[in-house]
Amino acid sequence: MSTETKVKAKSDAAKTLDDLFEDCLKDALWAENAIKTALPKMAKNATSPNLKNALKSHLEETKNQITKLKEVFKSIGVKAEAEKCDAMAGIIEEGEGILEETKPGPVRDAGIIAACQKVEHYEIASYGTMIAYAKLLKHKEAQKLLSEIIKEEKNADVTLSKLATSEINIKADI
Amino acid sequence: MSTETKVKAKSDAAKTLDDLFEDCLKDALWAENAIKTALPKMAKNATSPNLKNALKSHLEETKNQITKLKEVFKSIGVKAEAEKCDAMAGIIEEGEGILEETKPGPVRDAGIIAACQKVEHYEIASYGTMIAYAKLLKHKEAQKLLSEIIKEEKNADVTLSKLATSEINIKADI
């Protein structure tokens, strides 16, 4: 397809911001479930005990975020459903590629951190968008819950950055 | 594959942080080229003149970033090569999906912004990692060039957020 093609919408296209908000929520639920599956594998293949702990701790947060996302659906009167998120599928695929492209040790750990920070940033963008929609749509409970989740994602990103620069990258450079 | 499998590295696995840095650069070059191809399509399908302009302006920045990335390769004495970035492929695929799932107008514009912010955030994570590696590896010229790029990506993200909250999302909610 030409890069400058005008794209025709499907017959069941999103007509309102509410439709778009629901689509984002379905993507996010799929993404969090995929992360829940991927994190134990990353933790298992990490060497640094600090990194293993950070990943395990974020796994618990992720499980809790799935519960919160279901509450968001409930708060707007929509059935909780997951819809495949191509972007998160690609990000996770890339993260798993890191495991094949590195041997166990600090270089693999550095690669795991890089992959996880891409996951976190994707989520920061995704929840940032959903919070803006929820605010405008006056979905107050949804806005509150999504704001709690984005705070955790941002904290997870900061934790990984600190771990990279204070320990893992330095060991990987020896 | 079980989620808890220990993964064996390929025979040509990255052994050093330098290897990992080069792999990240190759991914980034592929990603920027893919964005260069995707942005005109997004601009063509946007309705808001302000959004069209923002996307066109970021297209020019992207072209310049590709040049800068090639300079980064040169500065570390490595041939500039692109390697398919599954994550960016997935993010762009999702962005193109937005066009099929919406009709032309403010709702589609809001979706385009959301997709582009996911691209920006992926890049912020990716360049953040590469800057940390370049710093540690004492690749000063690379660090400088990558820092210039990440600044542009962060600015692009802020521009899109402002456009969403000051204009596009509001129109999409009417």
Side-chain angles (χ1 to χ4, degrees):
Chain A
M1 192 189 289
S2 152
T3 55
E4 303 224 357
T5 309
K6 280 219 177 193
V7 178
K8 216 182 152 191
K10 289 180 190 167
S11 55
D12 61 342
K15 287 181 185 67
T16 65
L17 199 65
D18 254 311
D19 293 341
L20 215 54
F21 182 52
E22 285 173 30
D23 286 347
C24 289
L25 281 173
K26 288 175 185 172
D27 264 33
L29 187 57
W30 191 95
E32 292 294 0
N33 275 313
I35 295 164
K36 190 183 81 172
T37 306
L39 274 172
K41 187 172 172 182
M42 291 294 177
K44 182 88 177 174
N45 283 281
T47 301
S48 152
N50 287 334
L51 177 55
K52 276 181 186 284
N53 287 340
L55 298 176
K56 283 177 189 165
S57 148
H58 194 54
L59 174 62
E60 293 314 308
E61 265 179 348
T62 302
K63 289 177 186 168
N64 197 25
Q65 287 166 357
I66 291 170
T67 306
K68 281 187 182 172
L69 271 178
K70 289 178 181 169
E71 285 173 32
V72 172
F73 276 101
K74 201 175 170 189
S75 77
I76 60 166
V78 172
K79 192 184 162 201
E81 278 177 322
E83 203 162 89
K84 190 182 175 190
C85 169
D86 292 322
M88 186 54 76
I91 295 171
I92 289 175
E93 198 177 324
E94 184 177 298
E96 297 194 332
I98 289 282
L99 301 181
E100 289 169 15
E101 288 155 17
T102 53
K103 289 181 181 171
V107 170
R108 175 179 281 182
D109 284 358
I112 290 174
I113 289 185
C116 291
Q117 288 196 283
K118 287 171 178 175
V119 169
E120 292 314 317
H121 267 279
Y122 178 86
E123 295 197 290
I124 291 167
S126 169
Y127 287 108
T129 294
M130 288 189 280
I131 290 165
Y133 293 172
K135 191 176 173 188
L136 203 61
L137 295 166
K138 298 194 170 50
H139 293 319
K140 288 197 177 169
E141 179 66 9
Q143 187 187 341
K144 180 185 150 278
L145 290 162
L146 295 168
S147 300
E148 287 170 14
I149 299 179
I150 203 173
K151 200 175 163 190
E152 290 173 349
E153 307 296 10
K154 286 182 179 174
N155 285 341
D157 181 56
V158 170
T159 299
L160 290 169
S161 280
K162 283 184 187 163
L163 206 51
T165 53
S166 71
E167 177 196 327
I168 311 286
N169 291 358
I170 297 162
K171 285 184 184 162
D173 188 34
I174 292 171
Chain B
M1 191 191 288
S2 150
T3 56
E4 302 224 357
T5 310
K6 280 221 176 193
V7 178
K8 214 181 152 191
K10 288 180 187 166
S11 56
D12 63 342
K15 287 180 184 69
T16 66
L17 200 63
D18 254 311
D19 294 341
L20 215 53
F21 183 50
E22 286 173 29
D23 287 347
C24 289
L25 281 174
K26 288 174 185 172
D27 264 33
L29 187 56
W30 191 95
E32 293 293 2
N33 275 314
I35 294 164
K36 190 181 80 172
T37 306
L39 274 173
K41 188 172 172 182
M42 290 296 177
K44 181 87 177 174
N45 283 282
T47 301
S48 152
N50 288 334
L51 178 55
K52 275 181 187 282
N53 286 339
L55 299 176
K56 284 177 189 166
S57 149
H58 194 53
L59 174 62
E60 294 314 308
E61 266 180 346
T62 302
K63 289 176 185 169
N64 197 26
Q65 288 165 355
I66 291 171
T67 306
K68 282 187 183 172
L69 271 178
K70 289 178 180 167
E71 286 173 31
V72 172
F73 276 102
K74 201 175 170 190
S75 77
I76 60 165
V78 171
K79 192 184 161 199
E81 280 177 320
E83 203 162 88
K84 190 182 175 190
C85 169
D86 291 323
M88 186 54 74
I91 294 171
I92 289 176
E93 199 176 323
E94 184 177 297
E96 297 195 332
I98 288 283
L99 301 182
E100 289 169 17
E101 287 155 17
T102 53
K103 290 182 181 171
V107 171
R108 175 179 281 181
D109 284 357
I112 290 174
I113 289 185
C116 291
Q117 289 196 284
K118 287 171 178 175
V119 169
E120 292 315 316
H121 267 279
Y122 178 86
E123 295 197 290
I124 291 166
S126 169
Y127 287 108
T129 294
M130 288 189 279
I131 291 166
Y133 292 172
K135 190 177 175 187
L136 203 62
L137 296 166
K138 299 194 171 50
H139 294 319
K140 288 198 177 170
E141 178 66 8
Q143 189 187 339
K144 180 185 149 281
L145 290 163
L146 295 168
S147 301
E148 287 171 12
I149 299 178
I150 203 174
K151 201 175 161 191
E152 290 173 349
E153 307 296 9
K154 285 182 179 174
N155 285 341
D157 181 56
V158 170
T159 300
L160 290 169
S161 280
K162 283 184 186 162
L163 206 50
T165 52
S166 71
E167 178 195 327
I168 311 285
N169 291 358
I170 296 161
K171 284 184 185 163
D173 188 33
I174 293 170

